[in-house]
Amino acid sequence: MAAASKAGTALMQNPLSSAQLLPNAVLPVSLPGVLGVSMPGTAAVVPGSGLPGLANEEAARKAALQAALNLQHNLAKIQADAMPEHYEAELEINEFPQNARWKVTHKETLGPISEWTGAAITTRGQFFPPGRIPGPGERKLYLFIEGPTELSVKRAKAELKRVLEDFSHQSLQLPGGTQPGRYQVL
C-alpha cells in the first residue's frame, strides 16, 4: 500500500495523459453529460464560461489516474478474496483395523508427514464399531487435512493412505488378524 501511495503521489505531481495511461485503449473523444469533461486533444468547456478549461483537463487527468489506481487495488482485493488461503481434505479411518488407526493418529507418524508436506493433520470424530450408525451431529473417526496448497494436501492424504494400508496389511498378517471381508482398504 505504501509503495502504491508513493507511486500515486509521484504520478499526481507529474500527471499523465489518458493516452499515456492507456496507450492501446480505444477511448471516446468526449464524455457528454459529465460537467463538460473531455479527453485530451478535445476542448473542455467550463460550465457557464463557454471557454475551454485547462483546469478541468488537469482535474480529469487526476481523476483518471485515481480511478486507475482504485481499479488496480480493487482487482487485487478481489483476486485475494477469490483464491482460498488453504485447502482441506478428509480421510475416514473408522473402518481400518485398530492397530492402523492407532499408528496413523500418533505424533510419531503425523509429525514427519506434516513437516514433509506442509499440511496440518487433525484427528476428528469418534470411533463407531461396525454396524453402529452415527447419530445426528456425530461423525465417524477421520483425519482432517489442511494445507496452504492443493499439492500439499494431496501429498499428505496419499502418504496417510499408504501408512494406513501398510499397517492394515501388517495387522492382517498377525496371528488372529485374518477376518476376511471385515475391512476394506481403499
Side-chain angles (χ1 to χ4, degrees):
M1 290 294 281
S5 175
K6 287 179 185 178
T9 304
L11 287 174
M12 292 302 258
Q13 292 170 352
N14 299 321
L16 301 172
S17 71
S18 58
Q20 290 171 319
L21 281 175
L22 305 167
N24 296 329
V26 177
L27 301 172
V29 175
S30 66
L31 301 171
V34 184
L35 296 176
V37 176
S38 64
M39 301 308 284
T42 65
V45 178
V46 176
S49 70
L51 300 173
L54 295 176
N56 276 351
E57 189 172 329
E58 184 70 24
R61 283 188 199 145
K62 287 181 181 180
L65 176 64
Q66 188 62 37
L69 290 174
N70 286 342
L71 178 63
Q72 185 178 14
H73 174 71
N74 289 341
L75 286 175
K77 189 174 180 181
I78 289 170
Q79 285 177 337
D81 291 343
M83 295 178 58
E85 294 189 21
H86 72 279
Y87 292 84
E88 302 173 347
E90 294 179 359
L91 178 62
E92 190 171 302
I93 60 173
N94 193 75
E95 306 302 322
F96 285 93
Q98 180 180 2
N99 188 31
R101 289 193 315 266
W102 182 84
K103 187 68 174 177
V104 82
T105 57
H106 275 74
K107 278 196 283 188
E108 294 82 24
T109 305
L110 294 180
I113 294 173
S114 289
E115 287 181 25
W116 177 63
T117 61
I121 305 165
T122 311
T123 305
R124 294 191 179 171
Q126 66 184 49
F127 175 73
F128 286 91
R132 182 163 173 238
I133 300 172
E138 296 179 324
R139 294 263 328 253
K140 288 185 174 184
L141 190 62
Y142 68 99
L143 295 173
F144 182 73
I145 308 161
E146 58 185 335
T149 64
E150 186 177 4
L151 182 62
S152 68
V153 172
K154 283 183 178 181
R155 283 183 178 167
K157 188 172 181 178
E159 184 63 17
L160 288 167
K161 279 184 180 180
R162 188 192 64 76
V163 170
L164 277 168
E165 289 172 359
D166 287 350
F167 283 100
S168 294
H169 183 65
Q170 287 178 7
S171 69
L172 293 175
Q173 299 300 320
L174 295 173
T178 56
Q179 297 174 344
R182 183 168 178 185
Y183 299 106
Q184 179 181 10
V185 179
L186 302 174

